[in-house]
Amino acid sequence: MTAPAIRIDDLRVVRGGALVLPGLSCEVAAGSVTGLLGPSGSGKSTLMRAIVGVQKVAGGSVAVLGHPAGSAALRTRVGYMTQAPSVYGDLTVRENLVFFGGVLGQPKETVERVLTDVALHEHGTRVVSSLSGGERARVSLAAALLGEPSLLVLDEPTVGLDPVLRRDLWELFHRLALQSATLLVSSHVMDEADRCDALLLLREGRLLAQATPSELRARTGERDLDAAFLRLVESGA
Amino acid sequence: MSTQVTLAVALRVLRQLRHDPRTIALALGVPCMLMLILQQLFGRSSPVFQQVGTPLLGLFPFVTMFLVTSITMLRERTSGTLERLMTTPLHKVDLLAGYGIAFALLAVVQVILVSALAFGLLGLEVAGPKWLVVALAVANAVLGSTLGLFVSAFAQTEFQAVQFMPAVVFPQILLCGLFVAREEMADWLRVISAFLPLTYAYDALARTADDRLDARFAFDVAVVCASIVLAVALGAATLRRRTE
């Protein structure tokens, strides 16, 4: 067994006076594509922010690739895509990536490679604010891929994309995992759960289950993962 | 701190400006227009134009860059790009220096244009060296930039950020000695003005106009430089890797 890529122990986060994560513990296996699933407001984004080290935490510990989350050693090794596309709307697609690449010390060829990865090669010279929401999200994803990170934390990367593009991106995620990257991908749609090696099911800041899709089916006796999620909620797990 | 990252930030800010030609046109054109109005209002050889022209020329970039930086930085904070940058090796100082370089370059162009107009066509005269007026104006631009960056932390919306301009800039312009000499101010106003960086920026420009480059001038310049360093430190303190 290799060490987990992420190890979280009793993580507590308070936002705006509310306890968003009341003491969460879980692990993410290295080299896996792990899905972080749960309804909107379940604490997915907060957990991801804690993992990349931009979230103030009230207690507990988060270890990423053997270092405390947010430590300087991790800044070239973790790629992060926020839920809202965090790129410059007034720059072109390529100018955005050249900038983020420059910050990470990446050569220009890397920019062309990630543009191809997210199928935006033909849109390189377009200003980001003129793109559709899905295209903008892919620019943001491309920026997260730039540094060839060991850990990719992607907050709802496939929202609003057509099925073909979604399939292509999930194939890309698995390809990256084969190249020994670890991916943590959040989603609020359960039909994406089947594309993950492992699942973290989150509800109201608590971990409902940590399992593979097939384990989840076996445990609940449901074929459908949506129904399995419901069963878990109702059984008060 | 890394020069490569600093330059990447500066280049990116300049590229954003290039995509916004209207902002560039306004930043370069408005000071020229105001200088022309001032000269026409008082007349070429009037003592008012001659006395007020040079300090105003040197203070324009402060106002412009304060506004432009506070809005750009606010966008960076609200769009999530700052949060993304905080997960990268980028150092706070790289970001601050990159902004400073980009807006100082814009200020150089702005000041050269308005100086050429004022000293060339409009007949504004300075007894001291003209390059010194340009240099002081660029320093004021950097000061405006760093202050704008600092106050952007206290604004949640662009409406609020714009309101910081009259709140932070106007009192300094009123109290710097341009309208009423500091010796003639009420005591409490003079005390306040002693703590405002624009007081020293104005005094340095006025002394350059009269070619009184004495010890007090050197002190003024030192205070402006120290204010820039202080504003950078305050600005850096508002850039947090971790937020709520």
Side-chain angles (χ1 to χ4, degrees), chain B residues 9-222:
Chain B
V9 173
L11 202 61
R12 187 262 297 175
V13 174
L14 289 173
R15 283 195 172 125
Q16 285 180 294
L17 279 173
R18 202 186 58 194
H19 283 287
D20 188 0
R22 200 172 300 180
T23 292
I24 299 180
L26 285 166
L28 302 184
V30 169
C32 294
M33 177 185 79
L34 294 177
M35 194 54 83
L36 178 68
I37 291 176
L38 194 71
Q39 190 247 26
Q40 292 293 305
L41 198 61
F42 293 103
R44 173 183 282 258
S45 50
S46 87
V48 178
F49 174 63
Q50 290 301 339
Q51 207 182 341
V52 168
T54 304
L56 269 187
L57 192 157
L59 297 178
F60 283 139
F62 175 85
V63 181
T64 316
M65 300 312 153
F66 177 87
L67 257 182
V68 178
T69 313
S70 58
I71 300 283
T72 318
M73 197 60 208
L74 178 71
R75 281 192 199 153
E76 188 112 72
R77 288 178 200 274
T78 53
S79 70
T81 48
L82 185 65
E83 180 162 305
R84 185 198 283 281
L85 288 173
M86 286 308 175
T87 67
T88 69
L90 171 130
H91 196 280
K92 290 173 190 178
V93 178
D94 298 331
L95 190 69
L96 293 161
Y99 266 82
I101 292 171
F103 289 123
L105 283 175
L106 179 64
V108 168
V109 181
Q110 185 190 47
V111 175
I112 285 177
L113 273 180
V114 67
S115 308
L117 176 77
F119 297 140
L121 283 174
L122 302 181
L124 182 66
E125 281 162 18
V126 281
K130 292 192 175 76
W131 66 263
L132 196 54
V133 177
V134 175
L136 288 171
V138 172
N140 291 341
V142 174
L143 179 63
S145 231
T146 50
L147 273 179
L149 200 140
F150 171 61
V151 303
S152 77
F154 303 97
Q156 264 111 44
T157 64
E158 297 189 5
F159 281 145
Q160 291 176 7
V162 170
Q163 294 304 322
F164 273 115
M165 211 273 277
V168 175
V169 176
F170 282 12
Q172 296 203 59
I173 290 183
L174 287 174
L175 293 174
C176 72
L178 181 66
F179 293 99
V180 176
R182 289 186 63 225
E183 303 79 64
E184 293 161 23
M185 283 178 194
D187 286 343
W188 69 281
L189 290 177
R190 191 168 57 245
V191 170
I192 292 174
S193 75
F195 290 94
L196 303 175
L198 226 54
T199 302
Y200 303 90
Y202 163 79
D203 197 56
L205 284 160
R207 278 168 199 271
T208 309
D210 301 343
D211 203 16
R212 282 182 294 143
L213 304 180
D214 47 12
R216 172 67 203 202
F217 171 84
F219 177 71
D220 287 338
V221 172

Side-chain angles (χ1 to χ4, degrees), chain A residues 88-145:
Chain A
Y88 301 96
D90 48 0
L91 292 180
T92 68
V93 173
R94 196 170 273 113
E95 284 170 340
N96 263 291
L97 297 177
V98 166
F99 167 62
F100 287 113
V103 170
L104 292 166
Q106 290 290 320
K108 293 222 167 138
E109 300 83 75
T110 317
V111 170
E112 302 307 316
R113 197 199 69 226
V114 298
L115 273 176
T116 314
D117 280 344
V118 300
L120 277 177
H121 214 276
E122 286 161 19
H123 295 311
T125 54
R126 284 188 53 194
V127 174
V128 167
S129 60
S130 73
L131 300 174
S132 73
E135 287 165 338
R136 235 176 282 183
R138 276 185 286 151
V139 180
S140 195
L141 172 61
L145 297 176

Side-chain angles (χ1 to χ4, degrees), chain A residues 20-210:
Chain A
V20 182
L21 298 178
L24 188 103
S25 301
C26 64
E27 284 184 2
V28 172
S32 70
V33 178
T34 298
L36 178 58
L37 285 103
S40 174
S42 57
K44 300 190 296 294
S45 296
T46 304
L47 178 57
M48 290 188 140
R49 283 169 44 87
I51 290 168
V52 298
V54 296
Q55 175 67 52
K56 266 190 195 150
V57 301
S61 73
V62 182
V64 175
L65 307 170
H67 299 273
S71 45
L74 293 172
R75 286 184 197 137
T76 51
R77 298 179 65 198
V78 177
Y80 173 42
M81 174 193 177
T82 53
Q83 195 168 3
S86 50
V87 285
Y88 301 96
D90 48 0
L91 292 180
T92 68
V93 173
R94 196 170 273 113
E95 284 170 340
N96 263 291
L97 297 177
V98 166
F99 167 62
F100 287 113
V103 170
L104 292 166
Q106 290 290 320
K108 293 222 167 138
E109 300 83 75
T110 317
V111 170
E112 302 307 316
R113 197 199 69 226
V114 298
L115 273 176
T116 314
D117 280 344
V118 300
L120 277 177
H121 214 276
E122 286 161 19
H123 295 311
T125 54
R126 284 188 53 194
V127 174
V128 167
S129 60
S130 73
L131 300 174
S132 73
E135 287 165 338
R136 235 176 282 183
R138 276 185 286 151
V139 180
S140 195
L141 172 61
L145 297 176
L146 275 167
E148 295 186 16
S150 313
L151 172 68
L152 265 166
V153 179
L154 309 175
D155 202 350
E156 309 223 346
T158 58
V159 165
L161 298 184
D162 76 68
V164 180
L165 216 49
R166 255 167 62 176
R167 184 203 58 202
D168 290 351
L169 284 183
W170 278 102
E171 281 173 10
L172 170 68
F173 298 160
H174 283 282
R175 220 163 50 235
L176 293 168
L178 278 179
Q179 293 159 15
S180 83
T182 304
L183 289 92
L184 182 64
V185 184
S186 77
S187 176
H188 63 267
V189 277
M190 287 303 289
D191 66 353
E192 299 208 296
D194 250 337
R195 302 184 186 271
C196 303
D197 304 327
L199 298 173
L200 297 171
L201 298 188
L202 211 59
R203 189 168 185 269
E204 290 169 355
R206 289 171 202 281
L207 194 65
L208 272 185
Q210 169 156 22

